[in-house]
Amino acid sequence: MAEDREYRMTTPVVSNPTGQGASIRTQVLEALLSAKDQYVSGERLSQAAGVTRTAVWKHIKALQEIGFCFDSAPKLGYRLTHVPDLLLGPLLTRELPQGAVLGRAVHWLPETHSTNAVAMDLANQGAADGTLVTAWEQQGGRGRRGRNWFSPRGGLWMSFVLQRPLALSRAAELTLLCSVAVRRAVLASCGLSPAIKWPNDLLLDGRKVCGVLAEIRSDGESVQHAVLGIGLNSNIPAESFPPELAEVATSLSAVLQQPIANLPLAAAIVSELEPLYDDLAAGGRGFQAVAQEWRAACSTLGKRVSVQLTKELVTGEAIGIDDHGALRLRLDTGTVIDIHSGDVLF
Ligand code: BT5
């Protein structure tokens, strides 16, 4: 029974994405997917997954609970007739470019507190570079500075474990590169062109559609490992945002007035992010290489803005961004300051 717990809807918080249940589910699913629309016998499934036929049946039931549909026939076994648009490893991997590092291991959780928290645990345990944690919904999705991230079913909630060595001075570029990657993916997949608000917001019609949260573990000089979290409101009906977000948040489906397929969108994000991460981790140009594109999309530059720092609010003109992503602000006194972390208020 233990293996079923991982994807039972009523399970409160799943903290073991690498558990046995997940790997059996992957094997059962892969055997069914590779048979295309042919039947696979219970016997073959039980051999493929190394479990009893009763255990296979339980996994089939659990897969049904999350939206898979099957035909089953007494002598023939099971045949997949419908695959849900969920970021499960066997489904996402099929969409990824061959040899992609990002997403080479995928842990999908029906519900969790925060994919960033799970990914950081895995990173601390030595999970491979590129390991991806995704969830159907998060109960404690987190933003920067302890803020909450509203994460119901329908959105893309993804956190990558990044293990390649990186100088601490370059860590801020991760967020900026990620915004560029998501923006490109949204443009290619949905034809929408979000604006970038420094440092980590993507906006559509002035409302936030995506946020990025990079968290790092560092020895003071270099990044030991990082978790790069992406929260993209793909399929969230406008009316389901809570009152405090109703005026400031939006989703791709709300703007386009049609559902969005999450699997190809997630694959597009990975395809865009991979070369940018490669370049940064190899000590390449990093943010500099995409700075022009970033600036062209940025809604912060050239504006008079107030920036909330940890302890004070500063106001001035946003005149630029440096090579590592700091926001350059000309204060009303004429002094120019570089801001590494803060919240822009228009
Ligand atoms: C962010 O923080 O924008 C980073 C959000 C990162 C979320 C992802 S989801 C996958 C991964 N796992 C996690 O636990 N987190 C990451 P920040 O700039 O601090 O913005 C937070 C603010 O955005 C909140 O205070 C709200 O005002 C607003 N907000 C919360 N949920 C939102 C949503 N779904 N859509 C738009 N705005 C939202």
Side-chain angles (χ1 to χ4, degrees):
M1 285 302 277
E3 65 268 25
D4 277 343
R5 282 183 43 216
E6 200 224 336
Y7 43 94
R8 194 174 286 168
M9 319 281 226
T10 46
T11 306
V13 175
V14 178
S15 57
N16 185 13
T18 53
Q20 196 198 6
S23 102
I24 297 172
R25 175 185 62 213
T26 299
Q27 282 156 358
V28 169
L29 196 48
E30 265 163 5
L32 287 158
L33 287 166
S34 60
K36 304 254 179 339
D37 48 7
Q38 302 298 306
Y39 282 92
V40 187
S41 70
E43 185 65 36
R44 237 184 81 200
L45 288 174
S46 80
Q47 278 165 4
V51 292
T52 63
R53 288 178 64 166
T54 313
V56 166
W57 178 79
K58 283 181 189 155
H59 280 274
I60 296 275
K61 292 297 269 184
L63 286 167
Q64 275 172 333
E65 278 191 54
I66 59 173
F68 286 87
C69 298
F70 302 91
D71 268 351
S72 65
K75 292 228 166 73
L76 296 171
Y78 304 95
R79 186 170 72 94
L80 257 179
T81 55
H82 174 75
V83 170
D85 183 34
L86 298 174
L87 306 190
L88 277 83
L91 302 181
L92 183 58
T93 310
R94 295 190 304 173
E95 308 259 347
L96 296 181
Q98 284 251 316
V101 167
L102 298 181
R104 64 179 167 189
V106 181
H107 302 294
W108 177 84
L109 299 165
E111 51 185 16
T112 191
H113 192 63
S114 154
T115 54
N116 261 38
V118 175
M120 190 51 94
D121 279 352
L122 291 176
N124 290 334
Q125 292 160 30
D129 185 39
T131 297
L132 172 60
V133 180
T134 67
W136 208 355
E137 62 183 301
Q138 301 182 109
Q139 282 85 23
R142 58 196 197 205
R144 295 176 304 143
R145 302 166 181 228
R147 288 187 287 241
N148 295 326
W149 184 258
F150 173 63
S151 322
R153 285 182 192 175
L156 273 187
W157 322 128
M158 312 165 74
S159 299
F160 294 97
V161 171
L162 305 181
Q163 294 280 20
R164 289 164 66 183
L166 186 66
L168 190 54
S169 58
R170 306 207 62 182
E173 291 173 61
L174 281 174
T175 305
L176 304 166
L177 292 175
C178 191
S179 303
V180 167
V182 177
R183 185 176 182 282
R184 286 179 182 173
V186 167
L187 187 57
S189 306
C190 313
L192 293 170
S193 182
I196 299 177
K197 182 177 163 201
W198 183 87
N200 71 331
D201 293 355
L202 290 185
L203 309 178
L204 283 172
D205 304 328
R207 293 165 186 237
K208 186 156 168 171
V209 70
C210 175
V212 174
L213 178 66
E215 296 182 285
I216 57 168
R217 175 148 295 201
S218 159
D219 58 10
E221 270 177 26
S222 55
V223 174
Q224 287 163 316
H225 44 250
V227 166
L228 190 55
I230 300 169
L232 175 59
N233 302 332
S234 43
N235 291 295
I236 301 184
E239 59 278 11
S240 67
F241 285 105
E244 68 277 15
L245 295 180
E247 300 298 317
V248 294
T250 191
S251 69
L252 300 176
S253 61
V255 172
L256 284 178
Q257 300 280 298
Q258 62 181 55
I260 303 296
N262 274 336
L263 277 162
L265 182 57
I269 291 173
V270 170
S271 306
E272 294 293 350
L273 188 57
E274 175 112 9
L276 300 178
Y277 170 53
D278 266 354
D279 172 68
L280 182 70
R285 294 177 68 222
F287 175 63
Q288 249 189 311
V290 298
Q292 213 177 348
E293 179 180 347
W294 192 96
R295 286 192 186 98
C298 181
S299 61
T300 313
L301 299 183
K303 289 225 177 78
R304 187 178 160 73
V305 296
S306 293
V307 186
Q308 182 67 57
L309 308 179
T310 314
K311 289 198 175 129
E312 56 175 328
L313 187 72
V314 291
T315 300
E317 189 190 349
I319 57 172
I321 180 139
D322 78 4
D323 287 347
H324 298 304
L327 182 69
R328 192 152 286 172
L329 198 69
R330 187 189 297 116
L331 302 178
D332 296 342
T333 56
T335 312
V336 173
I337 58 169
D338 284 344
I339 300 175
H340 295 273
S341 166
D343 287 303
V344 171
L345 320 167
F346 287 124

